[in-house]
Amino acid sequence: DVKVTQSSRYLVKRTGEKVFLECVQDMDHENMFWYRQDPGLGLRLIYFSYDVKMKEKGDIPEGYSVSREKKERFSLILESASTNQTSMYLCASSSKKRGFYEQYFGPGTRLTVT
Amino acid sequence: DQQVKQNSPSLSVQEGRISILNCDYTNSMFDYFLWYKKYPAEGPTFLISISSIKDKNEDGRFTVFLNKSAKHLSLHIVPSQPGDSAVYFCAASALFEGAQKLVFGQGTRLTINP
């Protein structure tokens, strides 16, 4: 079974703090993604990576950065957390194999910025 | 610009009846469509998918229909069961830099009443 794990289920941070969200997958997937989920807006792509040390901006990258030093690990960084970054953050991974479309998701991190 | 839209935020259905969830898209380049199911405090899980070259795919109680000319897809669940109560996201896939990116709709909350 594919397993995608996220470092925290719940996190509370103060405005201005630097926040690290970690994601690890155990299926040797090339592609990894970070989304945020907000009511009425669905899942929106923040950043994704299709190889180690590679990263591409998604639809809402402002205020975020990412790091992928190892194939299995993809980190999302909030350089200076703000209250509008309070959200559910979801990590996903997928294979680059031809014809493979499904993304596998972690359980999510509920981040609250006060 | 919302490329994938689910216009019904919520749907309530009697147990045993058919649930029909709808999704519209605007980009003709999407080549694959997926439905995900999400319970509270969990990550989305893959439910069923359909290639853009097909018009129907069935898996047990779940059937997805694709109408390319109308840029519309729907998920039918029959018979509906209480465990089907969840948020359902449709997603459309497009290839970018070797990674299949998914664009998600806003989600529809399905409630199955006993």
Side-chain angles (χ1 to χ4, degrees), chain A residues 30-98:
Chain A
E30 295 85 358
N31 305 320
M32 295 188 76
F33 307 83
W34 274 106
Y35 295 89
R36 63 179 280 178
Q37 183 202 351
D38 300 288
L41 298 176
L43 277 69
R44 294 180 292 164
L45 182 63
I46 304 171
Y47 268 96
F48 69 101
S49 168
Y50 54 89
D51 205 345
V52 177
K53 296 196 188 292
M54 305 302 289
K55 59 186 179 185
E56 289 289 338
K57 291 180 181 178
D59 301 316
I60 50 163
E62 297 79 18
Y64 303 95
S65 62
V66 289
S67 171
R68 189 151 181 218
E69 296 297 319
K70 293 185 177 181
K71 191 175 185 181
E72 68 272 16
R73 190 179 295 268
F74 193 34
S75 303
L76 180 70
I77 303 149
L78 287 67
E79 295 289 341
S80 177
S82 62
T83 54
N84 63 13
Q85 292 178 310
T86 291
S87 186
M88 168 71 89
Y89 289 88
L90 293 158
C91 174
S93 73
S94 72
S95 170
K96 215 179 224 180
K97 280 187 234 172
R98 188 179 177 80

Side-chain angles (χ1 to χ4, degrees), chain B:
Chain B
D1 179 29
Q2 191 79 23
Q3 295 187 68
V4 178
K5 286 184 184 176
Q6 293 175 257
N7 290 316
S8 298
S10 62
L11 178 66
S12 190
V13 174
Q14 201 77 16
E15 183 179 357
R17 300 284 185 111
I18 185 171
S19 296
I20 299 176
L21 295 93
N22 294 302
C23 181
D24 297 296
Y25 63 95
T26 57
N27 191 339
S28 304
M29 299 303 292
F30 291 136
D31 58 351
Y32 211 80
F33 301 90
L34 304 88
W35 284 94
Y36 279 83
K37 176 178 178 178
K38 186 180 184 300
Y39 292 119
E42 292 184 15
T45 54
F46 170 73
L47 194 56
I48 192 170
S49 61
I50 187 166
S51 164
S52 60
I53 62 172
K54 297 195 172 178
D55 55 20
K56 178 182 174 181
N57 186 29
E58 198 170 347
D59 183 2
R61 297 186 297 114
F62 303 92
T63 304
V64 56
F65 295 91
L66 176 63
N67 182 334
K68 278 183 70 176
S69 60
K71 294 191 175 70
H72 176 84
L73 64 155
S74 61
L75 173 68
H76 292 213
I77 307 172
V78 57
S80 301
Q81 298 174 354
D84 297 329
S85 295
V87 177
Y88 290 79
F89 293 98
C90 72
S93 178
L95 189 64
F96 182 87
E97 295 281 356
Q100 289 291 146
K101 278 180 60 178
L102 293 181
V103 180
F104 285 85
Q106 304 96 313
T108 296
R109 180 177 302 279
L110 175 65
T111 303
I112 306 300
N113 302 308

